[in-house]
Amino acid sequence: MEEKTKIKTIVNFWYSKQQMCVKWQNAMSDWFSIGNGTRQIGMLSPAFFARYIREVLNEIMASGVGCHIGDVCFNVLAYADDLVLIAPSWAAMQQLLNVFHSSIHDIDMTCNVTKTVCMVSNPLCRHKLVANSFPLLKLGSSMVIFTL
């Protein structure tokens, strides 16, 4: 059996045979099977998530929308299950959100907009400030909360 196939078989077995119980104070529940998901504190969970969203990240990076430093476009940071989209303007951020939304739809993933925020950083030179308010950003049909 090929090495990759062996690894896939082992990982598939681990995640299809997962069981857990609930411990509260000195009491412990019976063990029960869990059907899907990766363990929150599992060592492999960040790697699995990174592999799962690789195409999403590639599509965001390929959009070319973001903050450019020299010839390099910076538009997404990813760590474990957290993503940061980086854009120089409201319109650019909306474009990135549109790319993100269509990409996650393709892999049957959703984004919890109640845990999603948009941060706006004002320029160091106040005379370069373009606007004090912006239209609300949308992720699909949901509004994204602003924080200044």
Side-chain angles (χ1 to χ4, degrees):
M1 188 182 289
E2 187 182 332
E3 190 67 27
K4 285 182 182 179
T5 306
K6 288 179 187 177
I7 293 170
K8 285 180 185 177
T9 302
I10 290 169
V11 170
N12 186 31
F13 177 80
W14 281 345
Y15 283 93
S16 66
K17 304 294 184 196
Q18 289 186 91
Q19 291 193 329
M20 65 177 11
C21 65
V22 177
K23 183 178 179 183
W24 187 62
Q25 294 181 351
N26 292 328
M28 197 155 85
S29 74
D30 291 334
W31 287 88
F32 56 92
S33 296
I34 53 175
N36 59 11
T38 56
R39 296 178 186 146
Q40 196 68 18
I41 58 170
M43 288 175 41
L44 294 175
S45 296
F48 287 153
F49 186 72
R51 177 63 188 107
Y52 182 68
I53 64 161
R54 181 180 296 171
E55 289 306 314
V56 173
L57 298 176
N58 286 341
E59 287 190 39
I60 292 168
M61 290 185 291
S63 73
V65 176
C67 296
H68 293 263
I69 300 174
D71 292 337
V72 180
C73 177
F74 293 91
N75 58 8
V76 65
L77 301 173
Y79 181 76
D81 64 346
D82 292 320
L83 295 177
V84 177
L85 297 178
I86 304 167
S89 68
W90 176 90
M93 180 56 75
Q94 186 59 63
Q95 279 183 273
L96 288 178
L97 286 169
N98 294 344
V99 169
F100 175 69
H101 185 258
S102 71
S103 299
I104 64 172
H105 182 268
D106 292 344
I107 61 171
D108 198 26
M109 184 175 149
T110 59
C111 179
N112 185 348
V113 292
T114 63
K115 293 183 177 181
T116 303
V117 293
C118 178
M119 290 176 37
V120 176
S121 297
N122 289 325
L124 293 176
C125 301
R126 301 296 284 171
H127 70 279
K128 293 183 179 178
L129 186 66
V130 206
N132 285 321
S133 63
F134 302 93
L136 290 176
L137 293 167
K138 287 185 175 183
L139 184 61
S141 61
S142 303
M143 300 297 180
V144 177
I145 300 167
F146 265 100
T147 180
L148 297 173

